[in-house]
């Protein structure tokens, strides 16, 4: 509890002091320290402490494996991820939905979709996190057809999508130029699924319309966005698409809006310069 407390309060050093002073450490204590490193974004330290934990003869369990796999995902450490996959198989936890989802995510983040798909297919139980992990992997590889095929299978399996699912789908629509499909998904979030879109979903819609040259709709999305704190990012998305379409009028509008938000916005000047190149 002390390790957690100091970690949550931002004092990583104190967490480490408590951990190192303990004469007896069970798997709960090790998991606490691993969690603290995860909160502070120290993926390498997670892998180091995991190795030390195994050296001391402690058997990792579900929480341990899922945390360590997330570290592998963030570090894109495929070699370590595969080694941990072997440990999971030897512990007979490969079919656990939490561990399995973390494996799918790890392989997807490391761009090994074949292995991610194999783990996914072998899982007897899948939840929305499992589906999102695989869908995200295909989305990051630009395989929009697979994204929507998996989404259809997910719905057929009676797994309800969540905000992450819609974010991945909207990103896929943006990169594939599927404007109408993206608009339907965005509208359906609220009307069908009763989800309130986040700033990330609004950013996806601005990017979708801007990439397609539909700047009136992109500006309309910004005007309806509930969070004014995100407007700088949204206007930059519009301005960044203007060189492709040579739309000087919209570029000037976006540039003026950005300077009102931050007159020292370096990205605004760079993007505006690209319009005239």
């Amino acid at each position: 509890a002390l390790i957690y407390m100091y970690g949550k309060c931002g004092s990583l050093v104190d967490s480490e002091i408590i951990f190192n002073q303990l004469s007896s450490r069970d798997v709960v204590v090790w998991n606490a320290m691993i969690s603290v490193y995860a909160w502070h974004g120290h993926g390498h330290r997670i892998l180091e402490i995991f190795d030390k934990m195994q050296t001391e003869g402690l058997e990792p369990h579900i929480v341990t494996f899922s945390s360590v796999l997330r570290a592998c995902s963030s570090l894109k450490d495929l070699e370590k991820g595969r080694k941990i996959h072997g440990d999971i198989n030897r512990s007979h936890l490969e079919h656990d939905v939490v561990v399995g989802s973390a494996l799918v995510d790890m392989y997807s983040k490391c761009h090994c979709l074949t292995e991610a798909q194999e783990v996914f297919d072998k899982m007897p139980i899948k939840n929305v996190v499992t589906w999102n992990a695989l869908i995200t992997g295909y989305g990051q590889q630009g395989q929009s057809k697979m994204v929507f095929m998996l989404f259809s299978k997910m719905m057929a399996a009676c797994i309800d999508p969540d905000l992450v699912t819609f974010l991945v789908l909207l990103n896929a629509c943006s990169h594939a130029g599927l404007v109408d499909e993206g608009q339907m998904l965005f509208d359906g979030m609220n009307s069908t699924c009763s989800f309130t879109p986040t700033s990330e979903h609004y950013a996806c819609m601005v990017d979708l319309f801007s990439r397609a040259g539909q700047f009136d709709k992109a500006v309309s999305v910004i005007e309806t966005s509930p969070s004014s704190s995100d407007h700088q990012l949204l206007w930059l998305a519009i301005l960044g698409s203007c060189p492709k379409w040579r739309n000087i009028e919209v570029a000037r509008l976006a540039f003026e809006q950005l300077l009102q938000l931050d007159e020292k916005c370096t990205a605004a000047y760079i993007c505006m310069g690209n319009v005239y190149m």
Side-chain angles (χ1 to χ4, degrees):
L2 281 169
I3 292 170
Y4 275 123
M5 184 274 290
Y6 281 121
K8 282 289 189 181
C9 291
S11 183
L12 175 59
V13 173
D14 284 313
S15 289
E16 290 179 324
I17 290 172
I18 297 296
F19 178 80
N20 291 326
Q21 285 178 345
L22 289 170
S23 58
S24 177
R25 297 181 294 215
D26 61 10
V27 68
V28 176
V29 173
W30 287 87
N31 285 342
M33 199 64 238
I34 287 172
S35 296
V36 170
Y37 283 128
W39 296 335
H40 289 264
H42 294 303
H44 289 292
R45 290 292 291 132
I46 290 175
L47 299 186
E48 289 172 6
I49 200 172
F50 176 71
D51 288 341
K52 189 175 180 181
M53 174 184 176
Q54 289 186 304
T55 300
E56 294 193 7
L58 282 165
E59 188 71 25
H61 59 42
I62 292 168
V63 175
T64 320
F65 281 128
S66 59
S67 297
V68 176
L69 285 170
R70 282 195 293 271
C72 292
S73 297
S74 64
L75 296 171
K76 304 293 189 294
D77 193 336
L78 178 61
E79 182 180 352
K80 185 67 173 179
R82 283 175 171 157
K83 181 179 180 300
I84 294 168
H85 190 177
D87 294 337
I88 289 168
N89 287 338
R90 284 187 288 274
S91 299
H92 305 291
L93 291 172
E94 65 271 21
H95 291 155
D96 178 82
V97 67
V98 174
V99 174
S101 298
L103 276 169
V104 173
D105 180 68
M106 184 275 294
Y107 281 124
S108 295
K109 295 280 177 60
C110 292
H111 309 301
C112 293
L113 291 178
T114 300
E115 287 168 277
Q117 186 73 61
E118 287 176 357
V119 173
F120 179 89
D121 291 339
K122 290 177 181 177
M123 290 177 64
I125 299 174
K126 307 175 184 71
N127 58 20
V128 66
V129 176
T130 319
W131 285 91
N132 284 345
L134 189 62
I135 291 172
T136 300
Y138 281 107
Q140 289 174 340
Q141 293 294 308
Q143 298 189 37
S144 55
K145 288 184 178 179
M146 280 298 298
V147 168
F148 292 105
M149 185 185 78
L150 283 169
F151 178 62
S152 297
K153 289 184 176 180
M154 173 180 167
M155 298 299 288
C158 297
I159 303 294
D160 292 329
D162 61 9
L163 287 170
V164 175
T165 315
F166 281 105
L167 189 61
V168 177
L169 293 172
L170 290 174
N171 268 314
C173 288
S174 180
H175 288 90
L178 303 173
V179 178
D180 292 339
E181 291 84 350
Q183 182 72 71
M184 288 175 60
L185 284 167
F186 186 76
D187 294 340
M189 284 181 65
N190 191 24
S191 61
T192 305
C193 299
S194 300
F195 286 137
T196 300
T198 67
S199 58
E200 292 176 300
H201 296 95
Y202 279 96
C204 281
M205 292 306 295
V206 170
D207 186 62
L208 171 65
F209 290 132
S210 297
R211 284 173 179 265
Q214 298 183 18
F215 293 109
D216 289 344
K217 290 184 178 180
V219 171
S220 178
V221 171
I222 295 178
E223 292 172 345
T224 58
S225 174
S227 177
S228 58
S229 62
D230 299 310
H231 282 186
Q232 182 173 343
L233 178 64
L234 301 182
W235 282 112
L236 278 172
I238 288 182
L239 185 55
S241 296
C242 287
K244 174 185 175 181
W245 300 97
R246 296 295 177 186
N247 196 318
I248 304 297
E249 182 180 351
V250 173
R252 286 175 178 168
L253 170 64
F255 184 68
E256 290 170 1
Q257 293 293 326
L258 285 165
L259 292 189
Q260 289 181 21
L261 294 168
D262 179 10
E263 62 181 15
K264 296 181 180 180
C265 180
T266 305
Y269 288 98
I270 294 173
C271 290
M272 193 64 188
N274 292 335
V275 175
Y276 291 98
M277 289 180 65

